[in-house]
Amino acid sequence: MMMSLVFLLGLSCTFYSGSTMLTAKSEPSIRQLLEKQQLKLTHLEFTLRHVLIKVLFLTDADVHAPRRLPPDPVLELSQRMNQLLQRLESEERAADILSRIEAKINASECEETTSNETLVDHKAKALANVTEQHEEKELPKLDPMQPAKADCYELEDATRRDGVYKFLVPELNEVGRDFNERFCAFTLDGPAWTVIQSRGPYQQQENFNRTWDEYRTGFGSLERDFWFGNEFIHKIVYRDDHMLRIELEDQDGARDWGEYAVFRLDSESYNYQLVIDGYQGSMPDALEYHNKMDFSTCDRRNDQSPRENVPCAVRFGSGWWFDRCQECNLNGIYPGSGGSGIIWADWRSGNYTLKTARMMIRPVRFAPATAEDTYDE
Ligand SMILES: *[C@@H]1O[C@H](CO)[C@@H](O)[C@H](O)[C@H]1NC(C)=O
Ligand SMILES: *[C@@H]1O[C@H](CO)[C@@H](O)[C@H](O)[C@H]1NC(C)=O
Ligand SMILES: *[C@@H]1O[C@H](CO)[C@@H](O)[C@H](O)[C@H]1NC(C)=O
Ligand SMILES: *[C@@H]1O[C@H](CO)[C@@H](O)[C@H](O)[C@H]1NC(C)=O
Ligand SMILES: *[C@@H]1O[C@H](CO)[C@@H](O)[C@H](O)[C@H]1NC(C)=O
């Protein structure tokens, strides 16, 4: 009995410190909600104490009447704890909804310059709209705010909506790009992938002829064409084994894809060297030629072409793992010509420049089991 009491007290401490953590993590702008939450948490703590007192009482009874079997206080408390945790979870959901409302209001404030409605009007409308939508209950729609999740692969399978998601809390790099804001893409099976590179037929094209520093920190809009950033990519794949998936589309809309079971990007001190292995796909593997190559940009030459030649990165106007120089280059000029475009050799002939290209990564351990795996052992 004493043992379980110590355990219970420990539990109550964990629970309480959990509540303070929640407060510190949230934004000051949702203070009102937090105050409400604080109240509820205090209330929950009271309830918990109540239960503890009851347990103490039962322990006492146990000592005085050893022959009588009391109801199992640990079981009762664990049921109670489950209830409390469920309530806490719903509180967190409420906080999430509120921050979405705020984001919506913020967004409508930005539109103010183009529209001629009053701010109040706009705010009221947005609020009404969000409230209305919230009342419609659990519509499967994209929820970009995912503070309880850390990466695309953790997204719920229910909605499978591609788009930009914000995980955890913002973690900005030196140019203000957020490590935890990611474009997530779902494929036919398995959890979502994190897109690290994207090209497409946008009217306003992002410039991919960028410096070493720009490729390091990332550039472009996650909603359109972008490079996620060598440092971010390295940071993700360094923690956990990752796969790489390449998706291509030609000018006629024909698509194909290939996957590498191994994808690593070394640190900056190793020039973000590329390591790939285990290719599978119906299109030819044009990236193998670039395997174990260092990254090059117009201002940093790490290619293997003769020194008297123009550096590959300058010639093809992009950062890439150039060798002598390329068999593929998804960062090329858009729309390029004479080999300087979006290239994937041997899938389409010669200097053919593709319409869209995407590179995406996912942890290996979350890849869906193949038939082979299932019958293994
Ligand atoms: C809304 O804007 C305010 C300041 O303008 C900012 O403090 C707050 O974080 C923004 N909220 C969201 C959810 O973007
Ligand atoms: C809004 O429209 C009114 C007339 O409809 C005009 O007088 C006013 O200048 C406009 N305001 C802005 C900010 O465009
Ligand atoms: C309400 O939201 C929907 C979908 O998000 C949008 O289509 C509609 O225009 C919004 N209405 C107002 C009044 O803002
Ligand atoms: C890329 O940028 C560098 C440096 O500004 C420039 O010298 C080079 O000509 C550019 N390459 C292309 C293909 O535009
Ligand atoms: C690609 O373009 C270059 C010119 O930049 C040319 O020398 C080369 O022959 C072309 N390759 C093919 C296969 O068309």
Side-chain angles (χ1 to χ4, degrees):
M1 226 356 134
M2 272 331 273
M3 278 301 286
S4 58
L5 258 182
V6 170
F7 167 74
L8 286 171
L9 284 167
L11 250 185
S12 87
C13 289
T14 318
F15 188 60
Y16 191 64
S17 63
S19 73
T20 40
M21 236 173 63
L22 190 73
T23 315
K25 232 167 67 178
S26 308
E27 292 172 23
S29 46
I30 53 169
R31 197 185 307 124
Q32 271 188 336
L33 176 93
L34 281 174
E35 275 165 10
K36 251 201 248 165
Q37 258 188 314
Q38 195 68 52
L39 258 176
K40 288 199 176 161
L41 284 170
T42 315
H43 178 73
L44 292 185
E45 221 223 331
F46 268 116
T47 321
L48 198 63
R49 266 196 209 161
H50 232 85
V51 179
L52 277 172
I53 288 168
K54 201 168 167 188
V55 173
L56 273 173
F57 174 78
L58 285 168
T59 321
D60 214 27
D62 199 24
V63 171
H64 288 122
R67 301 230 63 85
R68 214 181 67 217
L69 260 178
D72 187 356
V74 176
L75 183 70
E76 192 185 341
L77 185 66
S78 102
Q79 280 166 354
R80 193 80 197 188
M81 284 295 289
N82 276 342
Q83 277 172 11
L84 297 184
L85 282 173
Q86 267 166 18
R87 275 168 67 180
L88 195 64
E89 263 171 30
S90 68
E91 298 294 333
E92 277 177 326
R93 270 204 297 276
D96 188 28
I97 285 162
L98 209 87
S99 82
R100 264 188 290 158
I101 291 176
E102 201 188 32
K104 196 124 182 177
I105 291 173
N106 278 6
S108 60
E109 274 173 14
C110 297
E111 288 162 13
E112 222 40 53
T113 42
T114 50
S115 102
N116 191 7
E117 289 171 74
T118 68
L119 186 67
V120 180
D121 214 34
H122 223 116
K123 267 193 180 183
K125 262 194 191 165
L127 244 175
N129 205 1
V130 171
T131 316
E132 204 177 86
Q133 281 174 12
H134 177 217
E135 275 160 7
E136 279 175 34
K137 276 221 168 168
E138 310 295 307
L139 266 181
K141 57 182 186 300
L142 187 146
D143 181 359
M145 297 297 175
Q146 298 286 345
K149 297 188 167 68
D151 197 1
C152 295
Y153 69 84
E154 293 181 13
L155 287 173
E156 305 296 340
D157 215 41
T159 47
R160 300 186 77 80
R161 289 274 300 271
D162 287 14
V164 176
Y165 290 84
K166 294 182 175 190
F167 300 102
L168 302 173
V169 289
E171 218 179 294
L172 304 183
N173 69 8
E174 61 267 43
V175 296
R177 295 180 75 87
D178 182 2
F179 178 61
N180 292 321
E181 184 174 350
R182 300 179 188 175
F183 190 99
C184 303
F186 287 90
T187 47
L188 274 182
D189 57 355
W193 300 73
T194 297
V195 178
I196 57 171
Q197 188 265 11
S198 180
R199 305 299 296 275
Y202 305 106
Q203 247 181 13
Q204 187 71 45
Q205 281 289 321
E206 192 58 62
N207 172 23
F208 274 67
N209 190 11
R210 302 272 199 148
T211 62
W212 182 265
D213 284 347
E214 289 170 314
Y215 268 96
R216 182 183 63 220
T217 56
F219 55 82
S221 159
L222 295 190
E223 303 271 7
R224 298 154 38 94
D225 41 355
F226 68 92
W227 182 255
F228 189 52
N230 285 336
E231 201 54 41
F232 283 174
I233 300 170
H234 166 70
K235 208 166 139 186
I236 295 178
V237 301
Y238 179 78
R239 288 178 185 168
D240 214 345
D241 290 342
H242 273 71
M243 313 177 56
L244 171 70
R245 179 183 167 96
I246 309 256
E247 292 183 349
L248 306 176
E249 182 186 0
D250 72 10
Q251 300 295 344
D252 299 322
R255 294 156 189 262
D256 210 341
W257 55 271
E259 286 178 10
Y260 298 86
V262 174
F263 168 66
R264 282 200 295 275
L265 195 64
D266 224 322
S267 64
E268 183 172 21
S269 44
Y270 291 93
N271 294 321
Y272 298 117
Q273 190 185 93
L274 171 75
V275 175
I276 45 163
D277 199 10
Y279 179 75
Q280 273 196 309
S282 50
M283 59 188 200
D285 175 8
L287 194 57
E288 174 54 32
Y289 176 75
H290 300 268
N291 199 1
K292 310 242 168 67
M293 286 297 128
D294 290 355
F295 202 79
S296 290
T297 53
C298 60
D299 61 339
R300 196 171 296 190
R301 178 178 203 168
N302 295 312
D303 64 33
Q304 304 297 314
S305 65
R307 295 294 104 169
E308 65 270 21
N309 289 7
V310 178
C312 302
V314 174
R315 183 169 159 213
F316 294 110
S318 78
W320 196 247
W321 301 276
F322 291 108
D323 186 349
R324 300 170 61 112
C325 285
Q326 63 182 34
E327 278 201 7
C328 68
N329 178 7
L330 303 182
N331 287 343
I333 294 173
Y334 200 109
S337 59
S340 67
I342 315 294
I343 304 291
W344 193 273
D346 300 334
W347 183 54
R348 294 292 177 264
S349 63
N351 295 333
Y352 188 98
T353 179
L354 303 169
K355 186 162 128 200
T356 68
R358 283 207 303 193
M359 300 172 70
M360 47 184 90
I361 57 175
R362 184 167 74 183
V364 170
R365 66 196 161 103
F366 291 106
T370 62
E372 230 172 282
D373 293 337
T374 317
Y375 296 112
D376 225 39
E377 248 177 284

